Amino acid sequence: MLKPFDRQKKIALTRLTVWAVILVVLTGCSGYQIGNQSLYPSHIRTVYVPIIESSSFRRQFGERLTEAIVKEIELKTPYKVVSSPGADSVLSCSLVDEGKRVVAENRYDDPRQVEIRMQVQANWIDRTGTVLGECGSIEIPAAGQLVMGTSDLTAEMGQSCVTAQQEAIQMIAEQVVAMMEMPW
C-alpha cells in the first residue's frame, strides 16, 4: 500500500511527465503553419492586376481574363487585390495567342468538336522590381511565364463558344494563381 506522501509524489511526477511531453510535441511542431497563408510569400499583402492586354481580335478577352484572375486571387490566396499600382506586387499578363482547332468533323466537313486554346504570358513583380513566382525570387524567363488553357466545344451537345472560352479562361486563371504559390 502506498503512503499518502508517496502517492502525491507519483501524481506530481505523472503530471510533470505529461506536461513535458506536451511541451516537446508543441515545440517540435512550431515551424508548421496552417491554412493558405503558408502557401504564399508572406512579405506580399496586396496585388495589383492591370487589365490584361490582348492581341486577339475577339472582344473582351482581356477583361474576362482579368476578372477570372482577380476572383481566383481573392478566393485562393491571402492577398487583397487593389486598384492601385502602388501595391506590394503587380501581376501583369497579356494574351499572346488564341485560336480554334477542329478536332472532329462529320462526313460533310462540318465541325462537330472544336478545341479552343489560349496562351497567356504572366509576370509577377514586387515593389522592388524582383520577379516573383513560386518563392520570392525564382529563375523564369525575362519575358514571363507562359500559361495555356484549352477547352473543347461540342455544339451538338448545346455548348456555346462563350462557355468553352470561359472554361479555358478559368483554367488559365487557376494556373496563374498556382504560379504564385511557394514550392514545398
Side-chain angles (χ1 to χ4, degrees):
M1 180 95 109
L2 289 176
K3 295 181 185 176
F5 182 71
D6 290 337
R7 186 173 178 188
Q8 289 175 352
K9 220 183 207 184
K10 189 173 181 179
I11 290 173
L13 187 61
T14 305
R15 285 182 183 164
L16 182 64
T17 305
V18 168
W19 281 109
V21 168
I22 290 173
L23 183 64
V24 167
V25 168
L26 290 178
T27 57
C29 299
S30 64
Y32 293 106
Q33 296 178 357
I34 298 174
N36 68 351
Q37 290 84 1
S38 64
L39 294 175
Y40 302 95
S42 59
H43 68 284
I44 303 292
R45 300 231 188 276
T46 57
V47 179
Y48 171 60
V49 183
I51 298 292
I52 294 175
E53 299 172 15
S54 174
S55 62
S56 172
F57 293 112
R58 300 188 197 283
R59 298 183 58 177
Q60 297 178 340
F61 271 174
E63 290 85 357
R64 290 170 58 195
L65 270 166
T66 305
E67 180 182 7
I69 289 172
V70 166
K71 284 181 180 178
E72 280 293 308
I73 291 172
E74 292 280 342
L75 180 68
K76 294 184 178 174
T77 71
Y79 305 135
K80 178 71 179 152
V81 178
V82 296
S83 60
S84 166
D88 294 337
S89 64
V90 176
L91 178 65
S92 59
C93 301
S94 60
L95 181 65
V96 293
D97 189 29
E98 172 271 324
K100 295 180 185 177
R101 181 179 70 91
V102 176
V103 177
E105 299 176 337
N106 67 7
R107 63 182 173 179
Y108 303 111
D109 290 333
D110 293 330
R112 290 297 163 219
Q113 187 172 6
V114 177
E115 178 185 72
I116 295 176
R117 68 173 161 61
M118 295 180 194
Q119 193 170 21
V120 171
Q121 184 176 356
N123 288 316
W124 190 28
I125 301 170
D126 73 359
R127 187 180 300 178
T128 64
T130 306
V131 176
L132 297 170
E134 298 177 311
C135 182
S137 177
I138 62 164
E139 297 293 325
I140 62 174
Q145 180 121 2
L146 289 175
V147 179
M148 187 166 192
T150 61
S151 177
D152 288 332
L153 165 65
T154 309
E156 290 177 344
M157 301 299 288
Q159 186 179 17
S160 72
C161 190
V162 174
T163 52
Q165 290 169 351
Q166 195 61 36
E167 286 176 12
I169 287 171
Q170 185 62 34
M171 184 183 296
I172 289 172
E174 290 171 2
Q175 290 177 21
V176 168
V177 172
M179 179 187 79
M180 299 169 80
E181 293 181 5
M182 294 190 315
W184 286 53

